[in-house]
Amino acid sequence: MLGAFTLNTAESLPVGLLERISDSLRVSEAAVGLLVTGYAVTVAVASVPLAHAVRQVPRRQVLVGLLAALVVAGLVAALATSYGLLLAARLLTALAQALFWAVMGPVAVGLFAVEVRGRVVGALSMAGSLALALGVPAGTWLGRQSDWRVPVALLAVLGLVSLVTIAALLPVSPPEKEPAAYGTRPDTRRFRTVLAAGTLSAAGAFAGYTYIVTFLGRVSGFSPGAVNVLLVVFGAACLAGVSLTGALLDRFPRSALTTAVATQTVGLLGLYAAGSHPVAAVVFLVLTGGALGPVFMATQNEMLHCAPGRTDLALAANSGLYNAGIAAGAAVGGLVLSLADVRGAFLAGGVLGVAACAVLLGSFARPRRTVSSYDRKAPVRPVR
């Protein structure tokens, strides 16, 4: 959980320190923005190849290695005196995150009985969501009170604590014999459906969310101070949604994903249609925030059930495509913004959400496909 919190905070922290980093390194704010965009693209591209490359390495060694990369990257970033060095450190951190969700998910849930794995996924997701609600705001405040390098260095310290704890306490076993190494109900068609729906949903969410500050100011008419408060409300809604969904994942894994995607879609379309009314804007903002975290969490949980082969490779594919969706959604929103106005970005996001809902609902209308002849080459391992 601490590792999830640290990595997710590191991913988004430059957003809050944009001006400070820009002034310190004497580069444009657009160049600093590439520290976030490049991060997402790296995760999208590297997740599956890295997971495949280390598929035979014991999980404790992999986690220690990627957390060591996080610590080194954090220290390099904190000491960086040039933009190029900071960018290199960011890309190293992105490579660590590309592996983290693929490896940590099966390791964490494998420590518990299969009946409560949804709650374990919920706990990891709660820690990740805390990064947006607590980690990034706290890091932003600390960076503005001192120097942007201080919160970056502090994240390296938190990464070191995670590294030492995992190195000392995590059990070691061959990757293929881990309790959650294979899906509990392998289903190739469901696997593809979840990947497609998750990618479309991520694209839809970030087509709008990337420009939420502009929307709340120009369309809803909120002051800059009120917008800051509403961003905290958005983060709190995300935490509440993750907490509620985590409690229900074990009982309703499929319904949880469909409900989260549908709620997010309603929130985006509601902001487009009624966002000019402040009260309605807050309501639909809360719906969007309450669904953002649960969508990714529910797709991760689905991978642990329907993966047709190794769960680490399935989770890597899910994380990679989700990040590809984030990058594509931000690009779509930017394109719409240049052609129309900021409301159009939320309409585009809502349309992508409708497509994700259609993919999920269409899967219920088709007969369930279990393991194919190819899939049976990877046996389903018994779980404790």
Side-chain angles (χ1 to χ4, degrees):
M1 289 176 70
L2 180 60
F5 173 83
T6 304
L7 275 165
N8 280 22
T9 301
E11 178 181 12
S12 301
L13 186 59
V15 174
L17 298 173
L18 202 69
E19 294 180 359
R20 291 291 181 122
I21 297 174
S22 174
D23 293 341
S24 174
L25 299 182
R26 297 177 182 177
V27 295
S28 67
E29 292 186 5
V32 179
L34 286 176
L35 298 176
V36 177
T37 306
Y39 192 107
V41 171
T42 301
V43 173
V45 172
S47 290
V48 173
L50 283 177
H52 190 269
V54 302
R55 66 189 185 282
Q56 301 300 330
V57 182
R59 304 292 88 175
R60 184 170 72 178
Q61 295 179 21
V62 174
L63 286 169
V64 168
L66 67 87
L67 287 170
L70 170 64
V71 172
V72 171
L75 293 176
V76 170
L79 297 173
T81 56
S82 68
Y83 176 78
L85 194 57
L86 179 59
L87 178 61
R90 287 285 298 172
L91 296 181
L92 179 58
T93 307
L95 291 175
Q97 180 149 343
L99 258 183
F100 180 83
W101 288 107
V103 175
M104 180 54 81
V107 168
V109 300
L111 298 173
F112 296 84
V114 67
E115 295 82 9
V116 297
R117 287 182 176 178
R119 276 179 275 174
V120 180
V121 174
L124 290 174
S125 298
M126 177 67 75
S129 298
L130 273 172
L132 290 177
L134 177 62
V136 173
T140 300
W141 177 85
L142 182 60
R144 289 175 177 172
Q145 297 302 312
S146 52
D147 185 272
W148 65 267
R149 294 177 173 82
V150 175
V152 173
L154 181 58
L155 289 176
V157 174
L158 294 179
L160 182 61
V161 174
S162 299
L163 186 158
V164 172
T165 304
I166 287 174
L169 300 178
L170 189 68
V172 178
S173 62
E176 69 276 4
K177 293 185 179 179
E178 291 279 348
Y182 295 91
T184 56
R185 296 186 298 275
D187 186 339
T188 302
R189 179 173 291 165
R190 182 64 182 174
F191 170 71
R192 293 170 179 168
T193 296
V194 172
L195 287 180
T199 305
L200 286 168
S201 181
F206 282 85
Y209 176 67
T210 305
Y211 308 98
I212 188 65
V213 172
T214 302
F215 181 93
L216 292 174
R218 293 182 185 174
V219 178
S220 303
F222 289 106
S223 66
V227 170
N228 290 336
V229 173
L230 288 175
L231 291 178
V232 175
V233 171
F234 185 93
C238 184
L239 281 175
V242 166
S243 178
L244 178 61
T245 305
L248 300 174
L249 267 181
D250 292 309
R251 296 178 60 189
F252 311 105
R254 291 197 174 196
S255 299
L257 177 57
T258 304
T259 301
V261 172
T263 301
Q264 176 183 286
T265 302
V266 170
L268 291 167
L269 292 176
L271 284 168
Y272 163 74
S276 58
H277 303 284
V279 174
V282 172
V283 171
F284 289 115
L285 181 72
V286 168
L287 286 178
T288 305
L292 184 61
V295 170
F296 182 68
M297 177 176 67
T299 59
Q300 292 287 87
N301 186 63
E302 286 268 13
M303 293 294 106
L304 294 169
H305 293 293
C306 69
R310 287 269 294 268
T311 53
D312 53 355
L313 296 178
L315 287 164
N318 185 59
S319 179
L321 285 175
Y322 191 89
N323 277 275
I326 290 174
V332 168
L335 178 62
V336 173
L337 188 61
S338 65
L339 297 175
D341 60 15
V342 71
R343 290 177 69 245
F346 285 81
L347 175 60
V351 170
L352 288 167
V354 170
C357 290
V359 169
L360 289 171
L361 294 176
S363 70
F364 287 109
R366 297 192 299 265
R368 181 176 181 267
R369 178 189 175 193
T370 54
V371 187
S372 68
S373 58
Y374 171 79
D375 299 328
R376 281 194 289 270
K377 294 177 182 178
V380 180
R381 304 290 183 180
V383 293
R384 288 196 293 267

